[in-house]
Amino acid sequence: MKAYLEKINAFIAHLDTATLAALENVTVEKQFRKGDYLLQQDEICRYSFLIIKGVARKFYLQNGKEITTELFFTEDLAVSFRSYTLQNPSHEFIQALENITVTVTDYTAFQKAKNAFPKLVTLDLMMTEYYTMWLEERLFEFHSLDATQRYLKLLNEHPHILQSVQLTHIASYLGISLETLSRIRAKI
Amino acid sequence: MKAYLEKINAFIAHLDTATLAALENVTVEKQFRKGDYLLQQDEICRYSFLIIKGVARKFYLQNGKEITTELFFTEDLAVSFRSYTLQNPSHEFIQALENITVTVTDYTAFQKAKNAFPKLVTLDLMMTEYYTMWLEERLFEFHSLDATQRYLKLLNEHPHILQSVQLTHIASYLGISLETLSRIRAKI
DNA sequence: CGACATATTGAGATCCATCAACCAATGTGG
DNA sequence: CCACATTGGTTGATGGATCTCAATATGTCG
């Protein structure tokens, strides 16, 4: 599946200059400071954020508790998918966990660019497919792995995660309590 | 989100005749009998199956046990997404749970049609987005709902499911044991 | 009817959550 | 620079949700 990311990057690299220019035209580089919100609940997700450097997370509130649903690392595209796609108010937040650098793409501008440059539709499709496969993988984890296995898999995929994401968020992301995570770690 | 399905149908309804013809050219109607496999493990998923009538399921094997990952009803598109997208061998099966009618679309033919008729790329994107939002919803269920809540939600979304899907498959789909499902049902 | 698949029920074990106490590191105001 | 609050993490005790195994019941179909 990592291979598919390379395919996407190759696809971008081989775009004609006009399409590439159109793509670059709708993106801006931007910085956020640790703790900043890239998106707040009830806002419409009007931008996608490609992480250049740093870590962010996506979460929502359930009875006042934060449920972390996704962690974003370098090369990940941070959006609230549903809000972005439907241009509806989001029930999710996106927050920088460190000072981060991102390239911001405006939804409306990108849609217009897609109309003018059809290859961008293909690109959009490929990126969506990639996210979809990732989601299926994550669903598999919840369906078939216990807490320890999920933690080990995460560690395996992101060996340096402990340096940038606190255990509270990791536990929430794994769908377990902080205490359980702590005990899992103690046992290893 | 149901609204998005309508948007997709409206999009299809308003396609120009040439594109529409191209779309119809790559699909065939077909029947399967109860128990038949639309896709087997290790096969490449070379077709998508739009369910016209009947019910099917997708599952994989884990230590010889069948884990049902998705149930397909009328208007659903039955594919092993990853296998279909990457044209890799599938680790999933797709099986008819009743005698079903589907429209089969050939992957390669559809890709070619997309090259000739760009609006089909947009259609593909929309359908993928729809599936993606569905996946996010399902992930939310695993992340935040207990077994009883998941069952009630499923019943609510598919009131007639008990007539066509046996409890064994429903339990597996919900990520719980058959016994637990039986007890949940007894309590209601 | 007999046979096989499907579902229910009971008992015990296991995983994980919750609540509470405690600890360590960090930061802040006086 | 110290006292103390705050945040993040650990550890212990207990209970609840769910699993597993086994026995029983209820189909369903040749």
Side-chain angles (χ1 to χ4, degrees):
Chain A
M1 211 180 89
K2 227 31 184 207
Y4 204 62
L5 241 195
E6 285 164 27
K7 194 177 156 192
I8 293 175
N9 285 328
F11 183 84
I12 295 174
H14 292 91
L15 284 175
D16 57 283
T17 44
T19 303
L20 207 57
L23 186 57
E24 277 163 12
N25 250 330
V26 296
T27 69
V28 194
E29 189 162 314
K30 207 172 164 186
Q31 323 255 86
F32 288 90
R33 318 219 37 186
K34 178 174 180 170
D36 284 354
Y37 288 96
L38 287 65
L39 173 71
Q40 300 250 13
Q41 188 179 34
D42 299 328
E43 278 179 28
I44 293 174
C45 185
R46 300 187 191 282
Y47 309 96
S48 67
F49 304 92
L50 181 68
I51 311 285
I52 303 298
K53 186 169 173 304
V55 181
R57 70 173 177 132
K58 191 177 75 184
F59 70 95
Y60 64 90
L61 294 176
Q62 176 157 66
N63 314 324
K65 251 190 177 170
E66 300 180 351
I67 312 285
T68 296
T69 51
E70 196 170 354
L71 299 168
F72 302 105
F73 302 91
T74 302
E75 282 205 82
D76 285 340
L77 197 61
V79 290
S80 176
F81 187 84
R82 185 197 175 91
S83 172
Y84 184 81
T85 301
L86 303 178
Q87 289 292 290
N88 272 350
S90 170
H91 56 279
E92 297 174 308
F93 299 75
I94 299 176
Q95 183 184 35
L97 294 180
E98 312 173 322
N99 295 339
I100 64 178
T101 307
V102 299
T103 59
V104 182
T105 302
D106 180 84
Y107 174 85
T108 306
F110 185 56
Q111 295 306 310
K112 279 185 190 149
K114 287 202 295 186
N115 289 332
F117 301 92
K119 281 179 187 161
L120 293 182
V121 182
T122 300
L123 176 61
D124 196 358
L125 175 59
M126 292 173 83
M127 292 189 302
T128 303
E129 285 169 342
Y130 185 72
Y131 177 56
T132 303
M133 289 188 276
W134 179 85
L135 274 179
E136 282 196 338
E137 180 79 11
R138 187 147 156 72
L139 205 40
F140 159 79
E141 293 164 21
F142 275 95
H143 215 149
S144 298
L145 304 183
D146 67 20
T148 303
Q149 292 171 317
R150 292 208 292 279
Y151 175 64
L152 290 176
K153 188 164 185 291
L154 179 63
L155 265 196
N156 190 46
E157 285 159 7
H158 296 284
H160 304 302
I161 194 172
L162 297 172
Q163 274 88 71
S164 48
V165 184
Q166 53 183 63
L167 295 182
T168 306
H169 298 147
I170 292 177
S172 176
Y173 176 76
L174 294 174
I176 62 181
S177 69
L178 173 61
E179 293 92 327
T180 295
L181 178 57
S182 187
R183 280 183 254 268
I184 287 170
R185 286 161 47 75
K187 208 179 291 177
I188 296 173
Chain B
M1 208 179 93
K2 231 14 183 218
Y4 203 64
L5 242 195
E6 286 164 26
K7 193 176 158 192
I8 293 175
N9 286 329
F11 182 85
I12 295 174
H14 292 91
L15 283 176
D16 58 283
T17 45
T19 303
L20 207 55
L23 186 56
E24 276 162 13
N25 250 331
V26 296
T27 69
V28 194
E29 189 162 313
K30 206 171 164 187
Q31 323 255 86
F32 287 91
R33 316 218 40 185
K34 178 174 178 169
D36 284 354
Y37 288 95
L38 287 65
L39 173 71
Q40 300 248 16
Q41 187 179 34
D42 298 328
E43 278 178 29
I44 293 174
C45 186
R46 300 188 191 280
Y47 309 97
S48 67
F49 305 92
L50 180 68
I51 311 285
I52 303 298
K53 188 171 171 304
V55 181
R57 71 171 175 133
K58 190 178 76 183
F59 69 95
Y60 64 89
L61 294 176
Q62 177 157 64
N63 313 324
K65 250 190 176 170
E66 299 180 352
I67 311 286
T68 295
T69 51
E70 195 170 354
L71 299 168
F72 302 105
F73 302 92
T74 302
E75 283 205 81
D76 285 342
L77 197 62
V79 290
S80 177
F81 187 84
R82 185 197 175 91
S83 171
Y84 184 79
T85 301
L86 303 179
Q87 290 291 292
N88 271 350
S90 170
H91 57 278
E92 296 174 308
F93 299 77
I94 299 176
Q95 183 184 36
L97 294 180
E98 311 172 323
N99 295 339
I100 64 177
T101 307
V102 298
T103 58
V104 182
T105 302
D106 180 85
Y107 173 85
T108 307
F110 185 55
Q111 295 305 312
K112 279 186 190 148
K114 287 201 295 185
N115 289 333
F117 300 92
K119 280 179 187 161
L120 293 182
V121 181
T122 301
L123 177 61
D124 196 359
L125 175 59
M126 290 173 84
M127 292 190 301
T128 303
E129 285 170 342
Y130 185 73
Y131 177 56
T132 304
M133 289 187 277
W134 179 85
L135 274 179
E136 282 196 339
E137 179 79 12
R138 188 149 155 71
L139 205 40
F140 160 79
E141 293 165 20
F142 275 95
H143 215 148
S144 298
L145 304 183
D146 66 20
T148 304
Q149 292 171 318
R150 292 208 292 279
Y151 175 64
L152 290 176
K153 188 163 186 290
L154 179 63
L155 266 195
N156 190 47
E157 285 159 8
H158 297 284
H160 304 303
I161 194 172
L162 297 171
Q163 275 88 71
S164 49
V165 184
Q166 54 184 62
L167 295 181
T168 306
H169 298 146
I170 292 177
S172 176
Y173 176 76
L174 294 174
I176 62 182
S177 70
L178 173 61
E179 294 94 326
T180 296
L181 177 57
S182 187
R183 280 183 254 267
I184 287 170
R185 284 161 48 74
K187 208 178 291 176
I188 297 174

